[in-house]
Amino acid sequence: YNRPYEILLEMAIKLEELEAELDDVRKKLHTWIQGRHTVAVDCSNNFAFEMQQQSDVIQKLQKQQTQFTEASEAMKNRLSSEKQQLDGLKDSLRLVVEKKLEFEQDLNLLTKSVEIEKQEYLKQVSEFDAEDKERSRKLDLLRKSVARTSERLGMTFKQEDGELRIKFTCIDPYDPDKEFSFNVKVLEDNSYKVTKCYPQLVTLQDLIHRLNSTNDFSEFVKSLRRRFVQLVKDSGSSVPMAIE
């Protein structure tokens, strides 16, 4: 990026130096011609032969002057060509600078976009972690609640594919080993859902709605057991055995 600029600067300095040398040569030539012309005029008044010689000298000087003029013209042409090249380099440099600025702007926009997406991703990860912790907390509460009441209610439980399966016994007085069971899981919005219930209860949806409103899982388990007990009483112990 700096090298083309340094070359342009060196060429500009050389151009100024050449123009200064050219002006100096012209001044010296003009002074010299005037001096020689004065000498020729003075000598012509006294020496005709010398005047002829001076005339030859003047012709020679005029020829040299023509050569200098031609050289000067050639120098001007070369300087003009170099100036055009310099202007072309300046234009190229300007385009490079503009492209660099555009690239920097695009890079800044891209960097900001990536940072926004990164923050959004971190936010989603944080929210997911918080929800996961909440689900884990609820599952832990479920386990503790079940553990406290399992022995008293003749209840056992186990984990099955992210769900908690709860089995009741000691409900049917004519068949204490008969099993009554249900499966419950915690959804992404931290609400509860019963995925299986055997035997089926007509009032199950009301119990689930109450559970999600109160978040009292222990009371929910007790209510389900009471419903199973009432079902046995109403059916006269004709409820079929639970299927594993």
Side-chain angles (χ1 to χ4, degrees):
Y1 172 77
N2 292 328
R3 184 57 185 167
Y5 177 77
E6 293 174 357
I7 294 175
L8 294 176
L9 183 60
E10 291 175 1
M11 292 177 64
I13 293 173
K14 290 181 179 180
L15 179 61
E16 292 177 357
E17 291 175 352
L18 289 173
E19 289 178 348
E21 291 177 3
L22 181 60
D23 290 337
D24 184 61
V25 170
R26 288 176 177 172
K27 291 177 181 179
K28 290 180 179 181
L29 178 60
H30 181 70
T31 302
W32 184 78
I33 291 174
Q34 286 183 339
R36 296 301 296 175
H37 181 69
T38 302
V39 172
V41 171
D42 292 338
C43 291
S44 66
N45 294 329
N46 299 312
F47 306 99
F49 178 74
E50 291 182 6
M51 192 174 96
Q52 182 61 42
Q53 290 181 335
Q54 292 299 329
S55 178
D56 294 339
V57 171
I58 290 173
Q59 290 179 0
K60 182 179 179 180
L61 291 175
Q62 288 176 342
K63 182 178 180 181
Q64 291 178 350
Q65 184 181 16
T66 300
Q67 293 175 348
F68 277 117
T69 301
E70 293 175 352
S72 176
E73 189 66 26
M75 178 64 71
K76 287 182 179 180
N77 292 335
R78 185 169 67 85
L79 292 177
S80 177
S81 176
E82 291 177 352
K83 184 178 181 301
Q84 291 178 355
Q85 294 178 3
L86 180 61
D87 292 339
L89 291 174
K90 288 181 179 179
D91 291 338
S92 298
L93 179 61
R94 177 178 55 80
L95 292 176
V96 170
V97 172
E98 291 177 354
K99 290 294 184 181
K100 178 177 179 293
L101 292 176
E102 292 178 0
F103 174 77
E104 290 176 347
Q105 292 174 353
D106 292 341
L107 181 60
N108 290 334
L109 291 176
L110 180 60
T111 301
K112 292 179 180 179
S113 177
V114 170
E115 182 63 25
I116 291 174
E117 293 181 0
K118 175 184 176 182
Q119 294 301 325
E120 182 65 24
Y121 170 76
L122 292 176
K123 179 181 177 182
Q124 292 177 358
V125 170
S126 177
E127 292 175 352
F128 176 80
D129 288 343
E131 292 175 356
D132 187 62
K133 289 179 180 178
E134 180 63 17
R135 286 194 294 271
S136 298
R137 185 186 69 83
K138 285 195 172 185
L139 285 174
D140 186 59
L141 290 176
L142 290 179
R143 296 189 186 98
K144 291 180 180 179
S145 176
V146 169
R148 286 194 299 267
T149 57
S150 60
E151 182 177 358
R152 182 168 59 86
L153 299 178
M155 181 178 64
T156 60
F157 67 94
K158 66 178 179 178
Q159 196 77 18
E160 292 183 349
D161 299 327
E163 299 180 0
L164 184 65
R165 185 178 185 187
I166 300 176
K167 294 181 182 180
F168 295 106
T169 57
C170 302
I171 290 180
D172 190 339
Y174 298 101
D175 188 358
D177 293 331
K178 183 183 294 184
E179 295 181 354
F180 298 74
S181 65
F182 69 95
N183 285 32
V184 63
K185 66 184 297 186
V186 180
L187 303 179
E188 291 184 356
D189 60 357
N190 294 319
S191 64
Y192 296 94
K193 178 181 180 180
V194 174
T195 60
K196 297 177 183 178
C197 181
Y198 191 86
Q200 287 292 330
L201 295 174
V202 176
T203 59
L204 179 61
Q205 292 302 321
D206 293 336
L207 295 177
I208 295 173
H209 178 72
R210 186 184 305 168
L211 169 62
N212 285 318
S213 298
T214 63
N215 203 32
D216 190 344
F217 189 76
S218 178
E219 180 60 31
F220 172 72
V221 173
K222 293 176 184 178
S223 296
L224 267 178
R225 189 177 188 282
R226 286 195 293 267
R227 295 297 191 279
F228 286 140
V229 170
Q230 186 64 41
L231 182 64
V232 170
K233 290 180 179 180
D234 294 343
S235 63
S237 188
S238 60
V239 179
M241 287 291 292
I243 301 175
E244 292 289 345

